[in-house]
Amino acid sequence: MNRNNNESSDNNSAPLNAQSIASLCRTLGCDIDVVVLPTVGSTNTWLLENNNITAAVTLCAAEHQTIGRGRRGRTWHSPHSGVTFSIRLHRPEPVTRFQGLSLLVGALLCDQLRDIGASDAMLKWPNDVLVNHAKLAGILIETSISASAESATTVVIGIGINYRRGPEAQLIDQNSTDLYQICGAKLPDRSELIARIASRVIKAVVGDVPLAVENLASRWSDYDAIADLEVVVDSAGAQVAGRTVGIDAIGGLLLDTDNGRQVFSSAEVSVRSR
Ligand code: BTN
């Protein structure tokens, strides 16, 4: 089969289907509201702004995002027929309970991508999904204190996966890959993929997040794409060089530096050597 032939009759060209997503989620134990939009600025923004939908869990998927957002103010390029979706959960817990959630979601996304054939999927802390050092997927998590109660939190988890890109992929200014290059003809239907990822993520978020992150820390090496490497960490504008030594119990990046071991809860990591 010609992998560059976008006219193929594979099921991966099927439009997103809200009913199939909701129904598979239900089968997998998650009862959620699903909205599929042909075009939207950003599925994260849409869920943050359309807070009138009071369902405990709402998933918004889009065929195309015009201003997809990435971490640290970056843009997420969202060509037509990609995998771009966000999940909003209203949780009766304070925002501090969700520290480390981005790593947990990254690990769950990796698990699902490994299950469908991306067996080398790893995480560059905190949650860039890489295959052979090339970016396959990214996650943007945004939280807000609920309007109704200070001890409650609204969590929006946005996931973008490079699914099957055309020549425009060259426009993306980072080393990236897509699922079609990895899975070929076994590329799964997007609605099914979204439902499987969403179900894993929702179950984790309604569970004990701090405990799950603590458990993840002990098996972080299964996911760690930057294990034991010389890196530079950019944290709030300050650059710190050191060697990575995994994560702590709440998901912070551990770095051995000239000034001893340091921990970072939020930062950008650049690898100095491999
Ligand atoms: C990153 O790698 O910087 C994170 C990318 C996150 C992209 C997803 S696509 C769905 C959701 N909507 C957005 O605007 N961003 C996230």
Side-chain angles (χ1 to χ4, degrees), residues 38-229:
T39 298
V40 70
S42 149
T43 52
N44 263 42
T45 308
W46 192 88
L47 283 172
L48 288 166
E49 288 176 352
N50 288 275
N51 234 336
N52 51 331
I53 304 173
T54 52
V57 187
T58 306
L59 184 151
C60 173
E63 293 286 359
H64 175 50
Q65 292 185 131
T66 54
I67 39 171
R69 297 187 291 115
R71 287 177 53 245
R72 304 177 80 79
R74 285 188 291 252
T75 300
W76 180 259
H77 184 65
S78 313
H80 286 273
S81 307
V83 171
T84 49
F85 69 101
S86 305
I87 307 159
R88 184 187 57 214
L89 300 100
H90 296 300
R91 297 297 306 156
E93 294 146 323
V95 70
T96 47
R97 296 292 290 172
F98 302 100
Q99 196 171 16
L101 177 64
S102 68
L103 278 77
L104 186 58
V105 173
L108 294 167
L109 177 55
C110 254
D111 289 344
Q112 184 60 46
L113 293 171
R114 288 175 181 182
D115 278 1
I116 60 166
S119 50
D120 296 329
M122 299 287 277
L123 291 175
K124 177 175 172 233
W125 186 91
N127 59 19
D128 280 347
V129 179
L130 309 184
V131 171
N132 297 328
H133 310 302
K135 184 153 170 173
L136 174 63
I139 297 164
L140 176 66
I141 298 189
E142 298 176 288
T143 51
S144 67
I145 294 168
S146 167
S148 51
E150 262 191 29
S151 59
T153 306
T154 298
V155 184
V156 174
I157 300 165
I159 296 180
I161 304 171
N162 296 327
Y163 182 72
R164 183 177 184 172
R165 302 170 307 169
E168 77 281 358
Q170 277 93 42
L171 294 173
I172 298 174
D173 67 346
Q174 57 184 311
N175 185 12
S176 59
T177 186
D178 66 43
L179 261 188
Y180 189 62
Q181 287 180 41
I182 297 163
C183 302
K186 291 193 182 136
L187 190 64
D189 169 72
R190 290 179 301 150
S191 298
E192 177 182 345
L193 181 59
I194 290 172
R196 292 197 182 278
I197 296 166
S199 303
R200 286 183 191 240
V201 168
I202 292 161
K203 285 178 192 167
V205 180
V206 301
D208 188 340
V209 173
L211 184 64
V213 175
E214 200 180 317
N215 289 336
L216 176 64
S218 63
R219 52 191 180 85
W220 183 245
S221 57
D222 291 349
Y223 299 95
D224 195 356
I226 54 166
D228 199 23
L229 286 180

